[in-house]
Amino acid sequence: MRVYNFSAGPAMLPTPVMERAQQEFCNYRGTGCGIMELTHRGKHFEEVIDRAEKNVRKLMGISDNYAVLFLQGGASMQFSMVPMNIMLPGGFAEYADTGTWSSKAIKEAKNFGTVKVIASSKDIKYTKIPDIRHWKPSKDASYLHITSNNTIYGTQYHSFPDVEVPLVSDMSSDIMSKVIDVNKFGLIYAGAQKNLGPSGVTLVIIRKDLLKRTPETVPTMLRYSTHADEQSMFNTPPTFSVYMLALVTDWLLEIGGLSVMEEINNSKSEALYETIDSSNGFYKNPNDPASRSKMNVVFRLPSEELEDKFVKEATAEGMIGLKGHRSAGGIRASIYNAMPLAGVERLIDFMQEFQKING
Ligand SMILES: *Cc1c(COP(=O)(O)O)cnc(C)c1O
């Protein structure tokens, strides 16, 4: 039996995708072996990686001005690769600090140039996205970096700043959860394990003019252009992860694409926040309502004892992964694309029942 997995990542994958992978696991399309056992230079894997790229382009409406890359090293590697490749010589970059992952990105960027923190919500415990209308972005920055969804604190940008410099976003935890205009961005990156597939592959979408910025001294494997020139096959790609990403994006196309996905995600998050807000203070979300995440819904109960009890009893009822991040505490329900509305409804029923007994 499959449980409802509310884990922040690696996270649950759509059941039809898992079943498809299972059917093909030992014998991929009559080859007599699994896709992960086949050479990446053969026609079977080439079809898979081509399809993955085509699906990503189609779902997100990505033009030929952008390269779509499948890299390794996770989103964390991008914290270094971004400044290493697109920080201009002697230049500076601007960053918004909206949580743990932004802070880590800032720390790495400092190794490659000057970092200016243009906006921060650190002093209010990362409970909101600083109002983008008050930002004063510089025209001379190499780029501006944001974290579109803050996985740990449960906040999310619901609109993006308009800037003249390339806008870079870590979209690891909300990529393909809604319709966005890719043309607003110079570079988008996302580790796959929240919304796109298993861990092991990182999606990078980069505007092609930025490929030319990389200084000579950057190692071959760490240059975006290396991977753009070779369709992400400069060396052996993480073949199984790319295959799973192809299946997940097939599934997204089948259900009707990102506008349909967005509607489902809106229904899920609205229902959950409504339950929290109408609980007479038993459940509390600490964040500014305008910055609430539709992917990671965080809340507190009246005591840590009750939070432990909540997690334990939910687990016994087939809802796992609800414990909040160790740095934030409380409860976190991660409701990425693969979490069906039925899973959220189950959680809501459980929350109401739990409050009745313990409230
Ligand atoms: C999970 C996460 C990361 C880290 O991803 P890795 O692939 O483990 O390096 C970075 N940024 C955000 C927003 C995340 O949610």
Side-chain angles (χ1 to χ4, degrees):
M1 191 203 73
R2 293 204 15 111
V3 296
Y4 288 119
N5 178 2
F6 292 90
S7 168
M12 71 183 290
L13 290 168
T15 299
V17 167
M18 294 296 284
E19 286 169 347
R20 178 77 189 273
Q22 182 180 41
Q23 283 160 15
E24 299 181 333
F25 195 69
C26 286
N27 185 357
Y28 181 75
R29 303 198 180 172
T31 55
C33 51
I35 189 75
M36 74 180 86
E37 301 172 293
L38 287 164
T39 171
H40 60 295
R41 304 285 177 203
K43 66 173 183 178
H44 290 286
F45 185 72
E46 274 180 13
E47 184 276 327
V48 167
I49 199 163
D50 280 353
R51 180 156 48 91
E53 178 176 342
K54 283 202 185 88
N55 287 354
V56 170
R57 286 188 181 276
K58 194 165 175 189
L59 284 162
M60 297 183 73
I62 302 171
S63 76
D64 286 342
N65 283 345
Y66 290 81
V68 172
L69 310 177
F70 300 107
L71 307 184
Q72 301 191 56
S76 300
M77 176 70 100
Q78 295 310 307
F79 297 164
S80 302
M81 265 180 90
V82 167
M84 208 184 273
N85 281 274
I86 69 167
M87 181 84 80
L88 293 165
F92 70 98
E94 292 183 318
Y95 277 70
D97 182 10
T98 54
T100 308
W101 296 115
S102 317
S103 306
K104 289 190 175 175
I106 289 167
K107 179 166 179 270
E108 291 304 311
K110 284 180 177 165
N111 292 323
F112 303 96
T114 304
V115 171
K116 294 187 183 164
V117 176
I118 188 177
S120 172
S121 50
K122 190 175 184 182
D123 58 342
I124 49 168
K125 297 201 173 97
Y126 296 124
T127 49
K128 67 181 280 189
I129 304 295
D131 191 338
I132 59 173
R133 287 170 304 184
H134 300 145
W135 297 15
K136 295 193 176 59
S138 162
K139 287 182 182 143
D140 306 320
S142 296
Y143 60 90
L144 169 62
H145 181 284
I146 63 170
T147 311
S148 56
N149 183 71
N150 298 281
T151 324
I152 294 175
Y153 294 95
T155 60
Q156 186 175 21
Y157 288 73
H158 298 300
S159 60
F160 299 112
D162 280 307
V163 282
E164 288 174 41
V165 304
L167 182 61
V168 176
S169 183
D170 176 358
M171 292 197 183
S172 295
S173 51
D174 66 351
I175 186 107
M176 295 197 204
S177 66
K178 59 180 178 182
V179 176
I180 61 155
D181 180 4
V182 172
N183 294 315
K184 283 198 89 157
F185 296 86
L187 195 158
I188 291 169
Y189 62 90
Q193 67 272 22
K194 276 102 186 201
N195 242 349
L196 298 177
S199 59
V201 63
T202 305
L203 175 66
V204 173
I205 301 161
I206 178 171
R207 217 173 60 209
K208 284 180 179 165
D209 61 289
L210 297 174
L211 296 169
K212 301 191 187 97
R213 280 198 189 180
T214 310
E216 289 293 321
T217 50
V218 173
T220 308
M221 272 298 285
L222 299 175
R223 309 173 73 89
Y224 290 121
S225 59
T226 300
H227 302 285
D229 290 347
E230 302 286 338
Q231 282 79 47
S232 304
M233 301 246 269
F234 171 74
N235 72 324
T236 316
T239 55
F240 191 71
S241 297
V242 172
Y243 159 76
M244 289 297 287
L245 187 148
L247 293 187
V248 169
T249 49
D250 282 344
W251 172 80
L252 277 169
L253 285 166
E254 270 160 34
I255 68 165
L258 299 191
S259 56
V260 172
M261 194 69 254
E262 178 170 3
E263 273 176 46
I264 298 170
N265 286 332
N266 284 342
S267 307
K268 281 156 34 185
S269 55
E270 277 163 24
L272 202 42
Y273 283 119
E274 169 61 23
T275 305
I276 293 167
D277 293 341
S278 62
S279 71
N280 292 317
F282 184 75
Y283 299 111
K284 278 199 186 105
N285 171 273
N287 296 331
D288 167 35
S291 304
R292 285 172 163 182
S293 170
K294 297 180 181 184
M295 295 281 101
N296 310 95
V297 177
V298 299
F299 52 93
R300 306 291 318 222
L301 274 69
S303 70
E304 280 183 27
E305 288 69 38
L306 277 176
E307 288 168 353
D308 289 344
K309 190 168 180 230
F310 182 95
V311 170
K312 215 169 137 200
E313 290 181 8
T315 306
E317 294 199 25
M319 288 169 279
I320 70 162
L322 283 160
K323 197 172 167 50
H325 190 270
R326 59 191 183 282
S327 64
I331 307 294
R332 171 173 55 175
S334 297
I335 50 172
Y336 301 124
N337 288 353
M339 174 60 68
L341 183 58
V344 173
E345 286 168 347
R346 263 286 289 289
L347 177 62
I348 289 172
D349 285 346
F350 172 79
M351 286 169 72
Q352 289 171 342
E353 198 56 35
F354 189 87
Q355 183 178 359
K356 247 185 235 153
I357 296 165
N358 300 282

